[in-house]
Amino acid sequence: MDEITFAVLGTGGIGRRALEVSQHKDALTPVAACDRHGVAVDFDGLDVDELLAATEGNIDNEVATDGGTTAAEGGIKQHGEDRGVVASSQARPSEDSIQEIIDHGDRIDAVLLALPNYEHDFIPRTADRFAEGGYAGVMIDVLKRSRVIDMLDDRSDEFEESGITFICGAGATPGLLTGAAALAAQSFVEVTDVDIHWGVGLKSGYEDNRGTVREDIAHLPEYDIETARDLSEAEIEAIIDDHDGVIEFEDMEHADDVLLERAGVCDAEDVTVGGILDVRNDEKPTTTTVRVTGRTFDGETATNTFQLGDETSMEANVNGPALGYLKAGVRRNRAGEYGVFGPADLMPGF
Ligand SMILES: NC(=O)c1ccc[n+]([C@@H]2O[C@H](COP(=O)([O-])OP(=O)(O)OC[C@H]3O[C@@H](n4cnc5c(N)ncnc54)[C@H](O)[C@@H]3O)[C@@H](O)[C@H]2O)c1
């Protein structure tokens, strides 16, 4: 495959690791990366080691999107004077780092959106900005919420006209596990039930992934993204203490459901997603498992099961698939296929 230039929007817990994992994939050259306060652009390829070293313990994950900062404090693990990507010698401060990347869009094959989801329409609005800015390439996100998929689908015509191939929900869940479910479903002529149950142990990764933990708390019945966004760090610590560091989630609004439905695998209501997050141990509290139950053409009922190795980290399971799907998206884009695709659309179909 020809070389692919790509940008990462959001160098928080996920985006930093995406840059690192890209070093292990063929033909990927990171040329731009930004967070809320800075941007680095180099078409010879970013020096990922320098950027990671400069942002180690220095992530800019202020609780904000483009709608301003919330009541909660942020800037976790700040060591130096410069917070986030501006601490890198390759970066400079920016009032609107996303616009700077849009302005270089003609030289960028793919854009990975590792942005927060504190406002449901933040990622769709960011996509609008790329389309309006004349971008024609791949955009890929790792968002979790089902309702955002519809917002992206509503933009399908706009993306097709612009020459954008948008891959949505392409992290771990949704993403890797959605694709696995679509593959496991191929044994069946009718899929009756998809059950996704994940386990994440986040002790050493906790500081870097506070953004994800906050968004996960929004999935607890007593919270939503607005209330979770406004929690102070102390309130989050108190919630974690109340759960003795182990938080269980049931019936999560994860987009695996709509992504499997739009790929014709099963009805969204037949998909359930739950999981266990342990922020005090690195060992997974449970093995991440996808169970797909269905009926075969010759009348048998069975469950196909897919499991992740317990040693694989959340960062590995989000970023490996995200970059793999990014490359699949570039193949589609170069073949002239535009619009909105989910991870299950890029697997064998029905
Ligand atoms: N699908 C999955 O399996 C999966 C797993 C984990 C995380 N996620 C998702 O990944 C996303 C990122 O998570 P994270 O832990 O890296 O969050 P984070 O808070 O650590 O990082 C977000 C980054 O976005 C940047 N940002 C925010 N607003 C911006 C703006 N207007 N312009 C430029 N940059 C901006 C921040 O500065 C920060 O660098 C979240 O939405 C999370 O839900 C998905």
Side-chain angles (χ1 to χ4, degrees):
M1 192 169 194
D2 289 345
E3 207 55 31
I4 296 167
T5 57
F6 77 101
V8 174
L9 306 189
T11 48
I14 297 297
R16 283 181 79 248
R17 295 295 168 216
L19 288 167
E20 186 173 356
V21 175
S22 76
Q23 306 288 89
H24 301 274
K25 296 253 185 193
D26 291 339
L28 284 181
T29 305
V31 295
C34 73
D35 60 19
R36 194 159 174 270
H37 296 111
V39 62
V41 180
D42 186 345
F43 285 99
D44 292 330
L46 292 174
D47 178 347
V48 172
D49 290 340
E50 189 276 337
L51 197 144
L52 292 180
T55 51
E56 176 63 39
N58 202 7
I59 287 179
D60 177 0
N61 57 4
E62 183 182 359
V63 184
T65 55
D66 54 357
T69 312
T70 72
E73 74 270 29
I76 319 303
K77 270 180 79 184
Q78 182 180 355
H79 286 177
E81 272 189 20
D82 289 326
R83 184 176 59 197
V85 84
V86 285
S88 160
S89 59
Q90 305 165 77
R92 58 175 189 283
S94 173
E95 292 288 310
D96 188 354
S97 56
I98 290 177
Q99 188 59 48
E100 299 206 28
I101 292 185
I102 294 170
D103 292 343
H104 288 98
D106 55 339
R107 297 180 69 187
I108 299 174
D109 296 317
V111 178
L112 173 64
L113 295 92
L115 295 168
N117 195 39
Y118 300 123
E119 291 154 24
H120 288 306
D121 62 349
F122 181 42
I123 286 172
R125 278 192 283 118
T126 303
D128 287 342
R129 291 182 63 189
F130 274 81
E132 282 155 19
Y135 182 66
V138 172
M139 301 192 75
I140 174 163
D141 68 47
V142 295
L143 63 80
K144 291 186 183 173
R145 293 275 178 175
S146 306
R147 71 190 80 178
V148 188
I149 307 298
D150 279 347
M151 295 182 190
L152 291 165
D153 266 338
D154 289 345
R155 290 158 165 86
S156 211
D157 289 348
E158 181 190 343
F159 293 155
E160 279 185 37
E161 277 160 33
S162 304
I164 290 176
T165 307
F166 199 108
I167 318 267
C168 53
T173 163
L176 170 63
L177 303 187
T178 330
L183 190 58
Q186 300 301 317
S187 304
F188 307 122
V189 290
E190 188 196 359
V191 173
T192 50
D193 188 41
V194 176
D195 179 53
I196 294 176
H197 199 249
W198 53 263
V200 169
L202 209 53
K203 183 169 182 247
S204 46
Y206 175 59
E207 290 295 334
D208 282 356
N209 289 289
R210 282 172 183 251
T212 290
V213 172
R214 182 185 290 275
E215 284 189 32
D216 278 345
I217 286 173
H219 287 274
L220 290 172
E222 48 285 36
Y223 296 96
D224 55 30
I225 57 166
E226 282 82 25
T227 49
R229 188 176 59 190
D230 291 340
L231 291 169
S232 68
E233 293 300 329
E235 287 169 326
I236 289 189
E237 293 306 321
I239 293 168
I240 290 171
D241 281 345
D242 278 353
H243 291 80
D244 289 328
V246 182
I247 308 181
E248 285 199 51
F249 301 91
E250 284 172 15
D251 272 333
M252 302 180 83
E253 188 204 327
H254 264 216
D256 307 81
D257 56 357
V258 289
L259 291 167
L260 287 168
E261 180 168 292
R262 74 197 291 290
V265 175
C266 59
D267 291 341
E269 65 198 26
D270 297 329
V271 181
T272 46
V273 181
I276 308 179
L277 172 69
D278 184 347
V279 300
R280 301 216 172 123
N281 287 291
D282 278 331
E283 212 171 292
K284 286 185 191 177
T286 186
T287 298
T288 296
T289 305
V290 180
R291 289 186 186 82
V292 180
T293 303
R295 194 175 49 79
T296 64
F297 81 101
D298 47 1
E300 297 292 342
T301 296
T303 300
N304 284 346
T305 304
F306 172 88
Q307 290 189 327
L308 297 183
D310 286 342
E311 301 75 15
T312 59
S313 64
M314 193 256 296
E315 293 92 331
N317 291 319
V318 172
N319 291 304
L323 292 167
Y325 276 120
L326 180 151
K327 293 180 78 170
V330 171
R331 276 194 285 274
R332 297 267 171 154
N333 188 267
R334 288 181 179 166
E337 286 183 64
Y338 312 129
V340 178
F341 299 84
D345 298 323
L346 303 177
M347 302 302 284
F350 282 92

